[in-house]
Amino acid sequence: MSSILIKSAQLVNEGKVEAADVYISNGRIEMIAQEINHPADQEINAEGLHLFPGLIDDQVHFREPGLTHKADIWHESRAAVAGGTTSFMEMPNTVPNTLTQELLQDKYDIAAKNALANYSFFMGAANDNLEEVLKTDPRTVCGIKVFMGSSTGNMLVDNEKALEGIFANAPTLIATHCEDEATIKANLAHFKEKYGEDGLKIEMHPLIRSEEACYLSSSKAVALARKHQTRLHILHISTAKEIELFRNDIPLKDKKITAEACIHHLWFSDQDYASKGNFIKWNPAVKTAHDRDQILKALLDGHIDVIATDHAPHTIAEKTQAYASAPSGGPLVQHALQALLDMVKAGKMTLEQLVQKSAHNTATLFQIEDRGYIREGYWADLVLVDLNKPYTVSKSNILSKCGWSPFEGHTFSSTIEHTVVSGKVAFSHGKIIEKGAGERLLFNR
């Protein structure tokens, strides 16, 4: 592997911003100092740039295998790297659903060839695959995904005995999608009776997939985790009410129950449905401005632990169908860091908080080995950003296979200049650099 010397960067790391040089050799950070003059195969002049640990996204849907008309690991990992996300954890609701160890290994084999970013994949849980779930290796697999709300295929876990078995016996972290299916069905029936199938509108989405549906399911997951002492991580919190389920009075490393906030729930509100329509249709739904503001507050005060994207592309044709037919989800991984940096510029968080919630805490929460921090001996997963160079999202610079973004037309205040993945420059000055795949994430468990 070649060596890289990054000169004169403003390092944002572990609660500080300070000038430093970084020397990378054999994929890892060998030295951090105010001035380094070692010869290197490549030197990057980072004067005027800020250096962050690469973002670690603990929730993406890259759609491979089976749904590759929407997205695939090759395209989406490049979008991630272009946006400063150097590691991802991908979800099991592909086709076929990732419900056996053999199918899980198939995804790792694809990523080993095609993922430009570092990677891990969740093992999927169903009502009838506990034996397969229990074979999951905590050292090499990020976690087990449980859909406690509607999903594709056989992945809705709604059998009480199955849920008890998973929570009681899971060999590693369980990540949950929490929405109560019975509540959603009742709400949908009410709106259909009142307005008819053709009268359903996107503005009804947060009322159908309501606060009550989220809280009922999240509180059930928390109760199960407490009963069985399960390591539980609840994904994409979308309501202010759910925040009370989580603690902020103990260190993250000691928490048994943790939570995630997503970019779309921090950025959009139900007021944006009028202009964005189905392009901001997600499950759980984007809800009120109050919910959005309280999620941000909970993120910063420690009730919510990490930031992710829930990157989940669909084609433009799929998203432009009528509300009831349009699928939920959208591409976000390419613009997550830029969106967060806009929030920094608006005074909503600091650079240090951004790094803590998008890299440090994700590494700590998942016990990722040697990543998530800019430290000597750690893998060199790094992103250099110009905080004062505007960047406008357009179809011409979107790398996700679906070809659209909810941020299309928006001008961000910052530009990603370079991304280093496991010691290799994978993106530089607007161009992907093909230098082999990322590395499989390992976990200290």
Side-chain angles (χ1 to χ4, degrees):
M1 265 189 189
S2 60
S3 56
I4 303 168
L5 176 59
I6 300 172
K7 293 287 290 183
S8 305
Q10 289 293 313
L11 228 74
V12 187
N13 186 57
E14 302 197 62
K16 295 185 290 186
V17 182
E18 55 189 1
D21 294 352
V22 178
Y23 184 79
I24 299 161
S25 180
N26 295 317
R28 293 182 181 257
I29 298 167
E30 188 171 299
M31 184 182 300
I32 304 166
Q34 284 194 322
E35 187 170 2
I36 300 172
N37 294 308
H38 287 329
D41 297 309
Q42 181 176 0
E43 185 171 310
I44 298 173
N45 178 8
E47 192 168 349
L49 304 181
H50 282 70
L51 182 66
F52 301 90
L55 272 61
I56 304 171
D57 194 336
D58 76 352
Q59 187 187 183
V60 302
H61 301 262
F62 283 179
R63 306 299 192 198
E64 189 172 6
L67 299 166
T68 53
H69 67 287
K70 305 172 190 273
D72 56 47
I73 290 169
W74 192 92
H75 282 90
E76 307 317 302
S77 67
R78 279 149 182 76
V81 166
T85 292
T86 54
S87 300
F88 66 85
M89 303 179 208
E90 206 265 353
M91 291 296 166
N93 54 334
T94 41
V95 179
N97 299 155
T98 314
L99 296 175
T100 69
Q101 295 297 321
E102 183 179 5
L103 289 169
L104 180 62
Q105 185 59 47
D106 288 346
K107 294 175 82 167
Y108 279 106
D109 292 343
I110 295 167
K113 296 176 183 176
N114 295 334
L116 196 60
N118 307 312
Y119 53 89
S120 192
F121 295 90
F122 281 89
M123 175 64 186
N127 282 326
D128 55 4
N129 76 328
L130 181 59
E131 186 176 337
E132 286 292 309
V133 167
L134 296 183
K135 296 176 186 175
T136 304
D137 180 3
R139 170 72 173 152
T140 61
V141 177
C142 53
I144 296 158
K145 176 66 180 288
V146 179
F147 285 90
M148 295 176 67
S150 59
S151 179
T152 54
N154 184 37
M155 296 207 67
L156 172 61
V157 184
D158 56 0
N159 179 289
E160 295 296 328
K161 185 177 179 181
L163 275 174
E164 290 278 353
I166 295 164
F167 273 76
N169 298 294
T172 189
L173 174 148
I174 291 176
T176 54
H177 176 135
C178 287
E179 293 181 282
D180 183 68
E181 187 71 4
T183 301
I184 293 167
K185 284 181 176 177
N187 290 340
L188 181 59
H190 167 75
F191 278 91
K192 279 185 177 178
E193 183 179 355
K194 190 171 182 179
Y195 298 102
E197 180 89 30
D198 294 338
L200 296 178
K201 304 294 182 187
I202 183 62
E203 288 81 5
M204 300 171 188
H205 193 57
L207 305 176
I208 294 168
R209 306 190 80 94
S210 62
E211 174 191 83
E212 180 190 17
C214 293
Y215 185 82
L216 277 173
S217 185
S218 293
S219 58
K220 180 177 182 177
V222 168
L224 279 167
R226 287 176 177 160
K227 176 181 177 181
H228 297 291
Q229 290 298 296
T230 313
R231 178 65 189 87
L232 171 68
H233 183 52
I234 298 187
L235 304 168
H236 42 45
I237 297 300
S238 66
T239 74
K241 187 174 182 180
E242 290 169 283
I243 293 163
E244 69 184 49
L245 298 170
F246 309 104
R247 296 178 62 177
N248 71 344
D249 59 339
I250 54 175
L252 175 58
K253 64 180 178 62
D254 297 330
K255 287 188 180 185
K256 296 281 285 184
I257 298 169
T258 53
E260 167 204 279
C262 284
I263 297 293
H264 47 291
H265 294 127
L266 294 167
W267 187 279
F268 299 107
S269 78
D270 56 3
Q271 298 301 304
D272 295 306
Y273 287 120
S275 60
K276 297 288 185 180
N278 292 336
F279 291 103
I280 61 165
K281 182 184 180 186
W282 276 280
N283 299 339
V286 169
K287 298 186 174 66
T288 68
H290 173 72
D291 289 307
R292 178 192 63 199
D293 295 346
Q294 291 301 304
I295 292 166
L296 175 61
K297 181 175 180 290
L299 181 73
L300 299 181
D301 73 18
H303 283 91
I304 295 176
D305 305 288
V306 297
I307 302 169
T309 64
D310 194 12
H311 174 91
H314 299 282
T315 66
I316 293 173
E318 288 168 330
K319 292 296 273 188
T320 50
Q321 296 177 94
Y323 160 70
S325 301
S328 293
L332 283 168
V333 76
Q334 186 175 344
H335 304 114
L337 177 53
Q338 288 167 304
L340 292 171
L341 288 168
D342 268 18
M343 294 174 69
V344 170
K345 189 159 189 177
K348 294 181 178 180
M349 67 174 69
T350 66
L351 291 174
E352 296 91 331
Q353 288 169 325
L354 184 163
V355 166
Q356 180 189 3
K357 296 293 181 174
S358 64
H360 297 342
N361 279 12
T362 320
T364 298
L365 192 157
F366 282 87
Q367 298 171 278
I368 302 171
E369 183 173 277
D370 295 348
R371 299 188 191 272
Y373 295 82
I374 303 176
R375 290 176 177 169
E376 292 178 356
Y378 271 50
W379 285 99
D381 296 328
L382 305 167
V383 55
L384 279 157
V385 180
D386 188 335
L387 298 184
N388 299 302
K389 183 178 178 181
Y391 177 99
T392 301
V393 181
S394 66
K395 286 205 182 299
S396 65
N397 55 33
I398 292 169
L399 297 184
S400 286
K401 191 174 184 179
C402 65
W404 65 272
S405 166
F407 291 117
E408 203 167 321
H410 180 78
T411 298
F412 290 112
S413 60
S414 60
T415 295
I416 312 301
E417 294 290 357
H418 308 276
T419 305
V420 178
V421 178
S422 293
K424 296 174 284 192
V425 177
F427 178 81
S428 184
H429 297 306
K431 294 184 178 179
I432 294 291
I433 300 171
E434 300 286 355
K435 285 196 174 178
E439 300 285 337
R440 181 170 180 166
L441 299 178
L442 296 175
F443 305 89
N444 289 319
R445 302 168 176 157

Short mmCIF file of all heavy atoms in Angstrom, two decimals, residues 7-9 18-22 31-36:
data_model
loop_
_atom_site.label_atom_id
_atom_site.label_comp_id
_atom_site.label_asym_id
_atom_site.label_seq_id
_atom_site.Cartn_x
_atom_site.Cartn_y
_atom_site.Cartn_z
N LYS A 7 -0.97 17.43 4.73
CA LYS A 7 -0.27 18.58 5.34
C LYS A 7 -1.23 19.71 5.67
O LYS A 7 -2.13 20.04 4.90
CB LYS A 7 0.79 19.11 4.36
CG LYS A 7 1.96 18.17 4.08
CD LYS A 7 2.91 18.08 5.26
CE LYS A 7 3.69 19.37 5.47
NZ LYS A 7 4.68 19.22 6.58
N SER A 8 -1.03 20.28 6.87
CA SER A 8 -1.65 21.56 7.26
C SER A 8 -3.17 21.51 7.32
O SER A 8 -3.86 22.45 6.90
CB SER A 8 -1.21 22.68 6.32
OG SER A 8 0.19 22.77 6.26
N ALA A 9 -3.73 20.40 7.82
CA ALA A 9 -5.19 20.29 7.97
C ALA A 9 -5.64 20.84 9.31
O ALA A 9 -4.87 20.90 10.28
CB ALA A 9 -5.61 18.83 7.86
N GLU A 18 -7.75 21.36 15.77
CA GLU A 18 -6.37 21.82 15.86
C GLU A 18 -5.62 21.53 14.57
O GLU A 18 -5.93 20.57 13.85
CB GLU A 18 -5.65 21.16 17.04
CG GLU A 18 -5.69 19.64 17.03
CD GLU A 18 -5.17 19.03 18.33
OE1 GLU A 18 -4.79 19.78 19.23
OE2 GLU A 18 -5.16 17.79 18.42
N ALA A 19 -4.63 22.35 14.28
CA ALA A 19 -3.82 22.17 13.08
C ALA A 19 -2.90 20.96 13.26
O ALA A 19 -2.31 20.77 14.32
CB ALA A 19 -2.99 23.43 12.81
N ALA A 20 -2.78 20.16 12.19
CA ALA A 20 -1.91 18.98 12.28
C ALA A 20 -1.63 18.43 10.89
O ALA A 20 -2.38 18.66 9.93
CB ALA A 20 -2.54 17.90 13.15
N ASP A 21 -0.54 17.67 10.81
CA ASP A 21 -0.24 16.83 9.65
C ASP A 21 -0.57 15.39 10.04
O ASP A 21 -0.51 15.01 11.22
CB ASP A 21 1.24 16.90 9.28
CG ASP A 21 1.67 18.28 8.79
OD1 ASP A 21 0.79 19.15 8.59
OD2 ASP A 21 2.89 18.48 8.61
N VAL A 22 -0.91 14.59 9.04
CA VAL A 22 -1.22 13.17 9.27
C VAL A 22 -0.46 12.34 8.25
O VAL A 22 -0.55 12.59 7.03
CB VAL A 22 -2.73 12.90 9.16
CG1 VAL A 22 -3.03 11.41 9.34
CG2 VAL A 22 -3.52 13.72 10.18
N MET A 31 1.27 8.49 12.04
CA MET A 31 1.72 9.61 12.86
C MET A 31 0.79 10.81 12.70
O MET A 31 0.31 11.09 11.60
CB MET A 31 3.15 10.02 12.45
CG MET A 31 3.76 11.12 13.32
SD MET A 31 5.43 11.62 12.75
CE MET A 31 6.32 10.07 12.89
N ILE A 32 0.53 11.50 13.81
CA ILE A 32 -0.18 12.77 13.83
C ILE A 32 0.70 13.75 14.58
O ILE A 32 1.09 13.49 15.72
CB ILE A 32 -1.55 12.65 14.53
CG1 ILE A 32 -2.42 11.56 13.89
CG2 ILE A 32 -2.29 13.99 14.51
CD1 ILE A 32 -3.62 11.16 14.72
N ALA A 33 1.05 14.86 13.94
CA ALA A 33 1.93 15.84 14.59
C ALA A 33 1.71 17.21 13.95
O ALA A 33 1.11 17.32 12.87
CB ALA A 33 3.40 15.42 14.47
N GLN A 34 2.22 18.24 14.63
CA GLN A 34 2.07 19.59 14.08
C GLN A 34 2.81 19.73 12.76
O GLN A 34 2.37 20.44 11.87
CB GLN A 34 2.59 20.62 15.08
CG GLN A 34 1.62 20.87 16.23
CD GLN A 34 1.98 22.12 17.00
OE1 GLN A 34 3.14 22.42 17.22
NE2 GLN A 34 0.96 22.86 17.42
N GLU A 35 3.94 19.04 12.63
CA GLU A 35 4.67 19.07 11.37
C GLU A 35 5.33 17.73 11.13
O GLU A 35 6.05 17.21 11.99
CB GLU A 35 5.71 20.18 11.35
CG GLU A 35 6.37 20.34 9.97
CD GLU A 35 7.21 21.59 9.88
OE1 GLU A 35 7.34 22.32 10.87
OE2 GLU A 35 7.75 21.82 8.78
N ILE A 36 5.06 17.15 9.96
CA ILE A 36 5.66 15.87 9.56
C ILE A 36 6.33 16.08 8.20
O ILE A 36 5.72 16.61 7.27
CB ILE A 36 4.59 14.76 9.45
CG1 ILE A 36 3.88 14.55 10.80
CG2 ILE A 36 5.22 13.45 8.98
CD1 ILE A 36 2.69 13.62 10.73
#
